[in-house]
Amino acid sequence: MEFMLQLLFTMAVLFVFARIGSIIVSRFGFPGLIGEIVIGLVIANLSFGDWSLLSMLDITVPEPGVESEGSATYTVIEVFAELGVIFLLFSVGLETKVKDLLGSGKAALLAAVLGVLLPFIAGLAIILAFDGNMNHALFMGAAMVATSVGITARIIKDMKLMETREARIIIAAAVIDDVLGMIVLAIVNGVAGSGEISIVDIISITLQAVVFVVAIILVCKYITPKLYDYFQKRHDNAVNAGKVPRSANKLVLSIIVCLSMAAFAEFIGLAGIIGAFLAGMLFAEHAWEWDLEHKIESITTFFISFFFINVGLQVDISTLTDTTVIILAVVIIVVALITKFIGCGFGAKFGDKGLDKQGMHIIGVGMMPRGEVGIIVASIGLSSGAMSSELYAVVVLMSVATTIIAPPILSKMFRKKYHEEYVILGEDRM
């Protein structure tokens, strides 16, 4: 009884603080996730003498790489955080239609591929030069690969520019980037889990990831439409016969599929978020019709707040007093921005010769934000022991910095090319 009282109190306080932090940061035009991370940082580091917020909330965060357990309350926070990531990637999948992947064009494909290769190679090389640890290097490369499609899409929607050439290329490239990023994460996670680097492991994990992704794409393209037509026909026949049509609860069905595919992905050695992402793709064609995006968003908003708070809880501010770590963070941030800008911008230009210089720059900047995706990769690395607390802090800083830096630059570039008729008004914001 006492534990339940403490747990409910802690979860209520954390959620309220998370929403306050999100609202405050959003008012300054930045993604709310930054406010939630800051709240986690404050909670983890605010103390006066023997008193601390962590002790008041009964939160004990285990040290990474040390055989220690956190408090029972923190275990629940971790579970909620993991569910938040699962539902977040499921909601991204709901916005990822197979036709967007298969018909996005050469420009989007090349922008995505070069936007994955350059950051990954750069991240790998920097960390190998920094500490020589291959697992650290692999996860840093994977974190730098990420692109937060949600953040960029939000900016474009606010500016009412979804129909422009640059917007279509950015969104399609970000979708392909997500899939490639999932494959990279699967390979990195699998190789780190095996404890050694071998060609056989890499080939095996790559094949599993590719087969899993391709299988779901084929199901989305050929089987899901037939199932939908079957249930729609049965519904119409019942109506025509004067009967009350039976209809499955689409939300319940989608959650069952999401959790089942996440579990299956974990079972075969891939990250659960890959299964959740692909599960979302299964429902993408009819997500709007069934109102799944709106319903899942409510669930995600609740759980994902605990994920971002947990991100802040795990950042040891004392590591940021180390000059070496600060220098590394600055280098990683600069390289993360440059590699996406060059890789995605020139990739789009190679694929679409008619794209002008302004458009190329817009696409390069639009693919810069790492947002929640880079942080998810770092969290997986930290929890598996494949990433140190110092590098985890560096990735969080990189993800937050790219998320803050890119949006205002992207907005300015769009305004410069499309002029005043596209200026965002207060009532236009979502």
Side-chain angles (χ1 to χ4, degrees):
M1 184 70 178
E2 185 178 341
F3 168 71
M4 184 55 69
L5 175 62
Q6 176 66 60
L7 177 64
L8 293 174
F9 171 73
T10 298
M11 303 308 272
V13 169
L14 290 181
F15 188 65
V16 169
F17 280 6
R19 300 317 302 156
I20 292 173
S22 177
I23 291 170
I24 291 173
V25 170
S26 296
R27 289 186 180 277
F28 291 95
F30 298 117
L33 66 92
I34 295 172
E36 294 174 347
I37 293 172
V38 171
I39 290 295
L41 276 165
V42 171
I43 291 173
N45 295 277
L46 185 62
S47 62
F48 299 100
D50 295 332
W51 180 90
S52 69
L53 267 176
L54 283 180
S55 60
M56 187 187 80
L57 297 173
D58 188 32
I59 298 173
T60 303
V61 183
E63 294 183 35
V66 178
E67 289 295 329
S68 63
E69 294 184 1
S71 61
T73 303
Y74 181 71
T75 300
V76 176
I77 294 172
E78 280 190 305
V79 171
F80 275 40
E82 290 297 323
L83 287 172
V85 177
I86 292 292
F87 284 113
L88 176 64
L89 269 294
F90 179 64
S91 65
V92 171
L94 288 175
E95 300 175 9
T96 308
K97 298 180 181 179
V98 173
K99 63 182 180 182
D100 293 333
L101 290 176
L102 302 181
S104 57
K106 189 177 177 182
L109 178 62
L110 288 177
V113 170
L114 289 181
V116 165
L117 285 176
L118 289 186
F120 182 79
I121 293 171
L124 194 74
I126 291 171
I127 301 306
L128 283 178
F130 175 70
D131 66 8
N133 187 306
M134 180 57 79
N135 283 343
H136 291 176
L138 285 170
F139 269 96
M140 181 59 76
M144 289 181 70
V145 158
T147 291
S148 178
V149 62
I151 292 169
T152 301
R154 172 66 179 268
I155 297 166
I156 297 172
K157 283 181 180 179
D158 275 350
M159 299 193 76
K160 300 180 180 180
L161 292 170
M162 289 298 291
E163 298 305 315
T164 62
R165 176 193 286 184
E166 293 85 0
R168 289 197 298 268
I169 293 175
I170 288 172
I171 298 301
V175 167
I176 298 171
D177 187 292
D178 278 338
V179 174
L180 293 177
M182 293 296 102
I183 293 175
V184 169
L185 176 58
I187 295 170
V188 167
N189 199 38
V191 171
S194 68
E196 58 183 19
I197 307 295
S198 75
I199 298 299
V200 174
D201 286 336
I202 292 175
I203 292 174
S204 173
I205 295 164
T206 302
L207 284 176
Q208 288 181 42
V210 170
V211 169
F212 195 24
V213 171
V214 170
I216 296 302
I217 287 176
L218 292 176
V219 169
C220 291
K221 186 172 176 62
Y222 297 107
I223 298 178
T224 302
K226 291 181 181 180
L227 287 174
Y228 176 79
D229 290 342
Y230 167 76
F231 285 114
Q232 187 64 40
K233 185 176 181 181
R234 193 177 72 168
H235 176 276
D236 294 341
N237 288 340
V239 172
N240 293 334
K243 300 178 181 178
V244 177
R246 295 180 180 179
S247 178
N249 187 314
K250 309 298 192 304
L251 177 62
V252 171
L253 177 62
S254 68
I255 292 175
I256 291 172
V257 172
C258 170
L259 297 178
S260 299
M261 287 186 62
F264 180 73
E266 289 281 353
F267 175 72
I268 64 175
L270 306 178
I273 58 174
I274 297 173
F277 173 78
L278 295 174
M281 286 179 60
L282 288 173
F283 295 92
E285 287 293 337
H286 304 288
W288 183 83
E289 178 185 348
W290 294 340
D291 196 27
L292 285 182
E293 292 181 25
H294 180 260
K295 293 174 180 175
I296 292 295
E297 183 183 358
S298 300
I299 299 173
T300 303
T301 298
F302 174 68
F303 283 113
I304 201 61
S305 293
F306 293 98
F307 171 76
F308 290 120
I309 278 188
N310 193 37
V311 167
L313 290 175
Q314 294 181 82
V315 175
D316 184 0
I317 288 183
S318 64
T319 62
L320 301 179
T321 60
D322 186 335
T323 306
T324 304
V325 174
I326 294 174
I327 292 173
L328 177 64
V330 172
V331 170
I332 288 293
I333 290 169
V334 172
V335 172
L337 293 169
I338 292 173
T339 50
K340 276 291 185 183
F341 180 78
I342 293 174
C344 297
F346 280 94
K349 180 64 176 178
F350 292 151
D352 185 351
K353 301 298 182 183
L355 191 66
D356 60 18
K357 190 175 181 180
Q358 278 184 307
M360 185 176 75
H361 291 168
I362 286 172
I363 292 167
V365 174
M367 296 291 285
M368 282 180 180
R370 270 41 171 211
E372 70 284 353
V373 186
I375 295 170
I376 289 169
V377 174
S379 297
I380 293 172
L382 185 68
S383 61
S384 66
M387 178 170 273
S388 67
S389 58
E390 290 83 6
L391 290 182
Y392 176 78
V394 169
V395 173
V396 171
L397 284 175
M398 180 270 292
S399 300
V400 171
T402 55
T403 301
I404 293 174
I405 292 169
I409 297 174
L410 182 63
S411 298
K412 187 174 181 180
M413 285 183 168
F414 262 127
R415 286 195 192 103
K416 185 176 180 180
K417 182 168 184 179
Y418 293 100
H419 309 300
E420 293 301 317
E421 63 266 28
Y422 293 105
V423 170
I424 306 174
L425 300 177
E427 62 269 22
D428 292 332
R429 293 188 181 278
M430 295 179 65

